[in-house]
Amino acid sequence: MKIPDCKDNEVFIRPNFWYDIENSSKKYAHIIMIATKPDIIKQAPLYLELKSRWELVVLVHTGQHYDYNLSKWVLTEFGMDVDVNLNIFGDIHKKYSLIVERLGDFLVKLNTEFRKIPVPYVHWDTMTATTADKAAFLNKFAVVHVEAGIRTFTPNKEFYHKLFKNFEKGKFDWNKYYKSLQDFDIYERWSIEPYPEQFDTRAIEGSTWLFAAPVELYKKTLKEEGFPKENIKVVWNTVADAIKISMEKIPNSKAFEKFPNMKWKPFIFITIHRRENTLKKERFLAIYNAIKKLIQDWVYVCFLGLYASEFAIDNFGLRKDIENLKKKYKKNFAYGPALAHHAEVMDMISKAWAVVTDSGSMQEEANIVWVPCVTFRFGSDRTETILEWTNIIAPPVNSKLMAEIVKGAIANKKMIKKNHLYWENVSKKIVDEVLKMLKKNWKLFRFDDERLDLEQFFDWRI
């Protein structure tokens, strides 16, 4: 669907949308919120599941990522038609406020003028999720939180100081380090990284009614934080459903036409985009020089230039250096723009000998297609993959150490598990739970007298 250009003060609503709403006999409007490429990929199975059941589905795009590579083609790839584009703009704080205002106005109109009860589905830890839930909550609508409870688990200060001191003394042992990450007692949950997403995911929970947790670890986390266990359902992760769709399209992928020197080679697939990694010079230089060392050591490297990493390369004066690397190491180094198709990304990941990333989604995707993953961060919001032995942290401090950790992971049989954490038919489970809750209580937002079933005891007589 082609979305026309909007002025700053406009919200785009597709033609005939309100007519379709008015003529729908459905009581509930299932609002699927999207903004970024991972949002679209992971919300697509829910959108398709609800559509297959002939529910009233409204696809709301904030307008955050609307260029071809980051959004438009993925929408087409999954057959998703946007109903509303909130057309947000400006600095991050302005985007936050615009989503709350514009979505809030839309939800109120949907409810008061058209008598539909909004049921918003917000995803993961995004800015869209933590603003859409506020727009809903302030108008007395609770949300379905897809991938609820995700928290960053970070090895503590003592663990890292010991690691770096031992490495400086030449005492680093990959296998011992890999095993040490299995000790759950080393982890703490104070991190604000990824920034600001780790704040976002925590801020959503208070307005959530159905916590659709991806694994048992995050159900445990939510229960420890005091959320009601009857509202927490381990449904696994919708990315598994999305990957199943995309893997069927791999025969049509042109990914290796874009990176021909990687075809049939034992390459590693690298993406870097986190703010905290690309805005802080020391961290990005550690990451960049680790990648450079791998290239110089004749490891096959495919490095995608995402917007944030492209910005960092220019901002820190590395453009000439990376162009020289491309010329000097033509056989084993490929550098290019983001892949527009999810099927192309999965084509590359599934054939890689290791994935190196700071992305949460890519840690999941590597796990699903049985590829070792190295996470260039201090902790992980996919700690389940580390505890499952399929992922290893390479803290962005020392380039040489990072390169050693990556080399140890490449095609490492210990990290290749012929099963994954996230199962299948996840969207069906989520929709089943939502419809069950609506049938029982007719709405998701409930004050305490309703939640605790106290209305039967009301007595206002003197």
Side-chain angles (χ1 to χ4, degrees):
M1 176 180 179
K2 187 178 186 301
I3 303 299
D5 293 333
C6 304
K7 296 178 181 177
D8 284 350
N9 61 349
E10 288 182 340
V11 172
F12 169 78
I13 298 179
R14 70 163 172 80
N16 299 319
F17 172 76
W18 291 118
Y19 174 84
D20 293 341
I21 293 295
E22 188 173 27
N23 285 277
S24 171
S25 61
K26 298 292 184 178
K27 182 178 181 179
Y28 301 103
H30 297 266
I31 315 291
I32 304 294
M33 294 298 308
I34 58 172
T36 65
K37 191 173 180 178
D39 279 333
I40 298 167
I41 292 166
K42 291 185 173 186
Q43 294 280 65
L46 272 172
Y47 172 85
L48 297 172
E49 178 67 25
L50 286 160
K51 283 280 190 180
S52 72
R53 301 193 192 200
W54 298 98
E55 296 292 337
L56 175 58
V57 186
V58 181
L59 187 62
V60 178
H61 198 309
T62 67
Q64 184 181 347
H65 283 183
Y66 231 96
D67 69 302
Y68 182 82
N69 275 15
L70 289 180
S71 180
K72 285 187 179 180
W73 183 254
V74 188
L75 288 165
T76 305
E77 191 175 5
F78 285 99
M80 302 170 77
D81 292 321
V82 173
D83 296 298
V84 180
N85 177 11
L86 299 179
N87 189 30
I88 63 170
F89 61 94
D91 292 332
I92 190 167
H93 64 276
K94 187 168 187 177
K95 290 176 179 175
Y96 267 64
S97 62
L98 280 173
I99 295 173
V100 175
E101 178 185 349
R102 293 181 173 186
L103 181 63
D105 289 344
F106 171 77
L107 295 177
V108 168
K109 182 173 182 176
L110 189 65
N111 185 240
T112 59
E113 294 185 31
F114 293 88
R115 303 299 177 189
K116 304 298 182 188
I117 300 175
V119 182
Y121 295 70
V122 300
H123 165 244
W124 191 14
D125 61 359
T126 62
M127 174 182 72
T128 295
T130 199
T131 49
D133 81 302
K134 307 301 181 293
F137 183 75
L138 294 172
N139 289 294
K140 302 185 183 69
F141 307 119
V143 301
V144 177
H145 188 188
V146 182
E147 286 193 74
I150 288 178
R151 302 290 182 265
T152 293
F153 288 75
T154 307
N156 59 38
K157 177 179 175 180
E158 292 73 24
F159 177 88
Y160 274 134
H161 281 227
K162 182 179 179 181
L163 170 67
F164 292 123
K165 287 175 181 176
N166 283 341
F167 183 75
E168 289 170 359
K169 295 174 183 176
K171 294 182 179 179
F172 176 70
D173 182 292
W174 194 94
N175 287 298
K176 287 182 179 178
Y177 173 65
Y178 177 56
K179 187 175 181 180
S180 69
L181 289 171
Q182 302 303 309
D183 180 4
F184 197 69
D185 290 337
I186 68 170
Y187 292 98
E188 56 187 29
R189 280 180 261 174
W190 286 90
S191 179
I192 62 168
E193 297 184 19
Y195 173 85
E197 287 84 358
Q198 191 56 203
F199 163 79
D200 293 340
T201 189
R202 296 169 188 268
I204 297 163
E205 314 296 14
S207 56
T208 296
W209 192 256
L210 173 60
F211 301 85
V215 291
E216 288 288 343
L217 175 63
Y218 301 123
K219 177 179 181 179
K220 180 182 177 183
T221 298
L222 286 165
K223 286 170 67 177
E224 288 174 353
E225 292 174 5
F227 294 101
K229 62 182 180 180
E230 63 270 19
N231 291 45
I232 306 167
K233 306 295 179 181
V234 177
V235 295
W236 317 116
N237 198 312
T238 57
V239 72
D241 293 346
I243 286 175
K244 186 177 181 181
I245 295 169
S246 293
M247 293 293 280
E248 293 173 358
K249 300 176 182 178
I250 282 181
N252 298 319
S253 166
K254 299 186 185 302
F256 287 96
E257 293 179 19
K258 297 170 185 175
F259 303 109
N261 57 336
M262 296 293 112
K263 192 170 185 179
W264 311 118
K265 297 296 191 299
F267 71 96
I268 59 173
F269 188 68
I270 302 179
T271 68
I272 301 297
H273 78 289
R274 297 248 56 91
R275 287 181 179 89
E276 53 273 23
N277 278 341
T278 56
L279 293 179
K280 190 163 186 177
K281 185 176 182 179
E282 295 86 351
R283 285 171 70 159
F284 189 75
L285 288 178
I287 290 168
Y288 180 84
N289 285 322
I291 296 169
K292 184 175 180 177
K293 179 167 176 52
L294 290 165
I295 296 164
Q296 291 173 333
D297 289 347
W298 294 100
V299 175
Y300 283 87
V301 172
C302 182
F303 182 17
L304 291 194
L306 307 185
Y307 285 161
S309 49
E310 284 279 88
F311 171 83
I313 285 167
D314 288 329
N315 193 39
F316 302 132
L318 299 168
R319 179 61 58 189
K320 186 176 180 180
D321 189 69
I322 201 167
E323 292 300 325
N324 287 337
L325 286 172
K326 285 168 65 178
K327 291 175 185 175
K328 187 174 180 180
Y329 297 94
K330 291 180 181 179
K331 289 186 178 180
N332 69 304
F333 180 44
Y335 182 76
L339 295 165
H341 305 218
H342 187 239
E344 290 180 330
V345 174
M346 292 313 305
D347 189 16
M348 296 294 289
I349 290 177
S350 62
K351 293 179 176 65
W353 284 37
V355 167
V356 177
T357 189
D358 60 4
S359 160
S361 294
M362 209 159 279
Q363 294 173 63
E364 298 165 344
E365 289 166 338
N367 175 271
I368 289 172
V369 295
W370 312 329
V371 174
C373 183
V374 181
T375 298
F376 277 4
R377 281 161 56 177
F378 295 108
S380 175
D381 50 357
R382 297 300 184 279
T383 309
E384 66 273 18
T385 62
I386 294 171
L387 299 177
E388 188 66 14
W389 302 84
T390 65
N391 188 6
I392 189 168
I393 295 170
V397 172
N398 185 304
S399 299
K400 295 184 183 70
L401 173 59
M402 296 169 74
E404 286 301 308
I405 293 172
V406 172
K407 286 178 183 178
I410 296 172
N412 190 316
K413 291 182 180 179
K414 294 179 182 177
M415 299 183 73
I416 300 171
K417 308 289 183 180
K418 294 296 182 180
N419 63 299
H420 67 77
L421 289 160
Y422 303 114
W423 299 82
E424 291 180 354
N425 299 318
V426 180
S427 301
K428 181 181 183 302
K429 293 184 181 73
I430 294 173
V431 173
D432 284 345
E433 292 294 344
V434 172
L435 297 181
K436 190 188 304 180
M437 285 183 166
L438 291 174
K439 185 176 181 181
K440 181 180 179 181
N441 300 314
W442 75 267
K443 62 178 181 177
L444 298 186
F445 185 97
R446 306 181 78 203
F447 285 113
D448 280 356
D449 57 313
E450 300 166 309
R451 180 178 65 86
L452 300 171
D453 194 22
L454 299 179
E455 292 171 302
Q456 59 183 307
F457 300 110
F458 273 136
D459 187 349
W460 50 85
R461 294 172 298 177
I462 297 177

